[in-house]
Amino acid sequence: MKKIRLTKKEVCHILSIKTDALSKLILRDLSFPRPIKEGVTRQAAVYFDRQDIENWWESKKAENNSIFHLSA
């Protein structure tokens, strides 16, 4: 069974990026899934929904494919 929620480290691994790149992605790309904080304290764990991350990636691939086909 797939995990439903992913840690920042797991998202970085899946996307093959470093944590600072993930932080920049969250700030700059409004379509990127927002992290879900588990609790109200500063130390509360932050997770991402696996399906949201997968859907975002699929939309980026489709966007890239449409740009590639338009320029060809």
Side-chain angles (χ1 to χ4, degrees), residues 20 40 47 63 72:
D20 62 324
V40 294
Y47 295 98
E63 183 181 302

Side-chain angles (χ1 to χ4, degrees), residues 20-59:
D20 62 324
L22 178 60
S23 296
K24 289 176 185 174
L25 186 60
I26 293 167
L27 291 173
R28 294 182 180 152
D29 186 345
L30 298 178
S31 69
F32 191 80
R34 301 294 106 188
I36 302 164
K37 191 165 186 170
E38 186 181 84
V40 294
T41 64
R42 279 187 91 216
Q43 295 83 9
V46 174
Y47 295 98
F48 293 85
D49 181 80
R50 173 183 286 281
Q51 192 61 54
D52 289 348
I53 297 293
E54 290 176 0
N55 291 343
W56 175 83
W57 179 247
E58 290 301 321
S59 72

